[in-house]
Amino acid sequence: MKKEQYIKEVLKNINTYRDVKKRIKEDLYSRIEEALDRDPYFDFVQELGTPQELAEEFMENLTDPSAVKYKGFNGMPYEYKSTKKIFGLPLIHVNTGGRYGASVAKGIIAVGDVSVGIISIGGVSCGVISIGGISLGAVALGGVAIGGLAFGGVAIGIVSFGGVAYGLLKAIGGAMGIL
Amino acid sequence: MSNFRKQFNKGVLELGIMKLLVEQDQYGYSLIEEIHSRSGGIIELKDGTLYPILYRLEDQKWIESYWETQSGRGKPRKYYRITESGKQRFEDMLEDYLDVNLGIQKIIKH
């Protein structure tokens, strides 16, 4: 791996302001240049860790709240599952993969990248009451909403309201149609 | 590394770095090496720990950075130097550290 690529990977995994990233970039360049001057075969990963490891170490130590972009959520995966269960499902399940990918939340109240629940909120959401980018539910609200009662940019349902709305019984919107 | 050591390191490493900067200007790699050798290999400072400390000290105006190209070396190095307020800060920190250290030693040896 070339130093530019290594530094780019490190910076990609550090969630902070641009000016802080600029400082880190400068310092890592200077640091690696120095090491390469002394040893042309300097192995970044062996000496400094993988880009992800080094980035995590930076994130751990950038404790100044002004340096870390999001207080409490730094793009890292997060999961919360309540101990209380109803019908075998947690009452509340929050699950996000952060910047590392999509995770599924399943619960009575589910919040996640992908969510399934009675009340469901997510990027892709499925539930009795469902709110999401793409939303499927008895009552669905979203960019694209499909459901009994659908509200959305694009809404498809028995009764639908939206920019583009298709409804079995009723459709109200900019462009609408009865299926 | 244990959580205790991590927390403990945060304060004392700042003191160690400032001590080295009181003596002379340093660049990142030289700080890592100096800390390692002068601690007898006990303290291994990692890059992801060092630079955030330097940023905090710089933001507080206790140190400042500059680029310098040394003769015989084409590429510039980023150096850090201590400011006047940084020197005063170091004296205060050192006094605090020695006080607390003495107190803790008395507790442990009691």
Side-chain angles (χ1 to χ4, degrees):
Chain A
M1 189 186 283
K2 288 186 174 177
K3 67 173 183 290
E4 290 81 6
Q5 180 63 24
Y6 181 83
I7 293 169
K8 198 175 164 187
E9 283 292 314
V10 174
L11 294 173
K12 198 173 86 182
N13 287 285
I14 297 176
N15 196 19
T16 188
Y17 292 108
R18 194 173 288 183
D19 59 330
V20 180
K21 281 195 175 188
K22 189 172 169 252
R23 287 162 112 176
I24 296 171
K25 189 177 175 181
E26 281 177 1
D27 280 311
L28 283 182
Y29 260 109
S30 188
R31 162 76 167 96
I32 291 174
E33 283 290 347
E34 184 68 35
L36 284 171
D37 267 3
R38 297 180 187 201
D39 174 12
Y41 300 104
F42 176 73
D43 185 331
F44 315 132
V45 176
Q46 196 175 334
E47 297 296 326
L48 306 175
T50 64
Q52 290 77 17
E53 283 168 348
L54 183 55
E56 266 178 43
E57 203 185 307
F58 264 102
M59 289 300 289
E60 219 173 85
N61 290 293
L62 287 169
T63 47
D64 182 346
S66 67
V68 178
K69 208 168 189 173
Y70 304 112
K71 200 175 181 183
F73 175 66
N74 300 319
M76 303 301 281
Y78 175 80
E79 184 171 18
Y80 168 77
K81 206 182 268 192
S82 65
T83 48
K84 188 168 183 180
K85 288 189 174 183
I86 299 172
F87 307 122
L89 286 171
L91 176 63
I92 300 169
H93 189 196
V94 180
N95 196 11
T96 173
R99 83 174 86 103
Y100 298 102
S103 294
V104 181
K106 284 182 192 170
I108 302 299
I109 298 169
V111 181
D113 303 310
V114 177
S115 60
V116 182
I118 305 294
I119 297 171
S120 174
I121 302 168
V124 176
S125 165
C126 179
V128 177
I129 298 170
S130 173
I131 301 167
I134 298 171
S135 172
L136 179 69
V139 178
L141 172 68
V144 176
I146 303 166
L149 190 60
F151 304 86
V154 176
I156 302 166
I158 297 168
V159 177
S160 63
F161 305 86
V164 177
Y166 292 96
L168 274 177
L169 298 178
K170 184 87 176 170
I172 299 170
M176 52 194 175
I178 307 293
L179 292 174
Chain B
M1 191 187 290
S2 72
N3 199 37
F4 170 74
R5 188 160 178 156
K6 270 186 191 174
Q7 293 301 322
F8 186 65
N9 271 354
K10 275 187 183 174
V12 291
L13 283 176
E14 204 169 298
L15 184 66
I17 289 167
M18 286 183 83
K19 164 68 180 161
L20 294 177
L21 291 173
V22 165
E23 291 175 7
Q24 67 176 75
D25 298 359
Q26 303 267 1
Y27 50 94
Y29 197 25
S30 66
L31 281 168
I32 289 172
E33 285 185 320
E34 283 285 302
I35 292 273
H36 185 257
S37 68
R38 286 173 65 166
S39 69
I42 293 172
I43 302 175
E44 200 149 328
L45 185 57
K46 289 183 164 184
D47 297 78
T49 305
L50 168 69
Y51 293 111
I53 293 174
L54 292 173
Y55 303 156
R56 275 202 299 279
L57 296 175
E58 199 175 17
D59 289 345
Q60 302 284 347
K61 314 267 186 233
W62 292 325
I63 65 169
E64 55 194 16
S65 60
Y66 63 97
W67 289 87
E68 192 174 278
T69 308
Q70 289 190 334
S71 57
R73 190 179 188 271
K75 294 155 195 164
R77 264 190 198 132
K78 189 177 181 184
Y79 280 87
Y80 288 91
R81 70 177 155 226
I82 199 155
T83 61
E84 283 308 312
S85 63
K87 284 177 189 165
Q88 185 54 52
R89 168 70 179 168
F90 168 70
E91 294 299 330
D92 296 343
M93 281 173 75
L94 183 61
E95 201 178 314
D96 287 344
Y97 170 75
L98 293 173
D99 263 1
V100 173
N101 191 31
L102 186 67
I104 292 289
Q105 286 207 24
K106 282 183 176 175
I107 292 168
I108 291 169
K109 286 176 181 169
H110 183 70

